[in-house]
Amino acid sequence: SQTIHQWPATLVQPVGSPLSLECTVEGTSNPNLYWYRQAAGRGLQLLFYSVGIGQISSEVPQNLSASRPQDRQFILSSKKLLLSDSGFYLCAWSVQSLAKNIQYFGAGTRLSVL
Amino acid sequence: AQSVTQLDSQVPVFEEAPVELRCNYSSSVSVYLFWYVQYPNQGLQLLLKYLSGSTLVKGINGFEAEFNKSQTSFHLRKPSVHISDTAEYFCAVSEGGSYIPTFGRGTSLIVHP
């Protein structure tokens, strides 16, 4: 069966520090991968998605970047965090080539930038 | 372009009462529709989906939803809620050929004893 791992679960970082959040998927090949951010009391904001290794699409211009160094690994990064980067970050995957794309989510990372 | 509107940001209800969470969408093509649930400090998980066929779909935990094409709606219902149903519920729509579903802003269901 497929599983998705996301870590760390919580993170407290000072303003101006770097960030690296990792997400890995097991039990499937060539998935679509997604990074979302959920601010307090708001819906999901799609940040990045990827349909293959090295292929990253950005939905919102911002202080963050994403990379996909391996088929089932998706990394969210920042060189210098801002206060506004605080939020709940969710990684998700779906089966490629299907518009009927059920998304499977990780447990999330709660990031607090102080 | 597709869009999703969840009309209620918060729905308070007493335990064992029925509930309906509303979702309307706009799209110019055929769509696939989903409801996800998010418990506190967790990721989202699929409740149910409409892909084709019967317009009444049943999901986990006793929830069901009805696809109404003429009204472009996909409302979620449960005849009798439990305290454990307290969570955030998200409606999502996906168009054929798109990798990117669009999520509504979510409805917070609060079940009171």
Side-chain angles (χ1 to χ4, degrees):
Chain A
S1 64
Q2 301 91 356
T3 56
I4 178 169
H5 302 280
Q6 192 180 337
W7 67 92
T10 59
L11 191 59
V12 181
Q13 292 284 97
V15 170
S17 64
L19 173 74
S20 181
L21 302 181
E22 190 164 341
C23 173
T24 60
V25 180
E26 295 177 358
T28 188
S29 296
N30 202 22
N32 293 335
L33 295 171
Y34 309 81
W35 277 111
Y36 291 91
R37 178 169 58 203
Q38 190 176 22
R42 304 185 68 177
L44 293 171
Q45 179 186 34
L46 178 64
L47 301 175
F48 301 96
Y49 71 95
S50 171
V51 300
I53 296 175
Q55 300 179 60
I56 309 293
S57 296
S58 174
E59 290 294 300
V60 182
Q62 59 210 320
N63 184 42
L64 302 169
S65 62
S67 62
R68 184 171 178 172
Q70 299 180 42
D71 180 45
R72 290 169 291 175
Q73 185 184 29
F74 205 23
I75 298 172
L76 183 69
S77 304
S78 173
K79 292 182 179 178
K80 288 186 178 181
L81 283 168
L82 306 173
L83 287 174
S84 57
D85 292 324
S86 293
F88 192 51
Y89 288 82
L90 290 162
C91 180
W93 73 272
S94 67
V95 175
Q96 197 171 100
S97 306
L98 283 182
K100 309 173 184 179
N101 45 357
I102 297 168
Q103 296 209 317
Y104 300 92
F105 286 81
T109 295
R110 186 159 304 282
L111 172 65
S112 298
V113 182
L114 306 176
Chain B
Q2 61 204 30
S3 66
V4 179
T5 302
Q6 291 186 243
L7 297 165
D8 305 297
S9 60
Q10 204 172 79
V11 174
V13 65
F14 287 106
E15 194 174 19
E16 297 184 6
V19 70
E20 178 180 83
L21 306 183
R22 297 179 292 171
C23 173
N24 287 89
Y25 69 93
S26 67
S27 174
S28 57
V29 299
S30 295
V31 296
Y32 307 109
L33 297 159
F34 310 84
W35 275 99
Y36 291 84
V37 60
Q38 183 183 30
Y39 298 104
N41 295 311
Q42 295 185 27
L44 282 69
Q45 63 184 87
L46 184 71
L47 260 184
L48 50 78
K49 61 185 184 291
Y50 171 79
L51 303 180
S52 64
S54 173
T55 56
L56 182 64
V57 294
K58 295 187 183 297
I60 62 171
N61 301 338
F63 283 93
E64 63 181 31
E66 185 160 17
F67 169 54
N68 188 319
K69 188 174 182 179
S70 63
Q71 297 188 10
T72 59
S73 67
F74 191 54
H75 300 333
L76 181 70
R77 302 185 182 99
K78 186 170 182 177
S80 176
V81 295
H82 301 287
I83 295 287
S84 59
D85 292 323
T86 295
E88 193 82 14
Y89 291 80
F90 292 92
C91 181
V93 61
S94 179
E95 292 180 341
S98 171
Y99 297 123
I100 311 299
T102 298
F103 285 84
R105 292 177 64 88
T107 297
S108 179
L109 175 63
I110 303 169
V111 182
H112 297 287

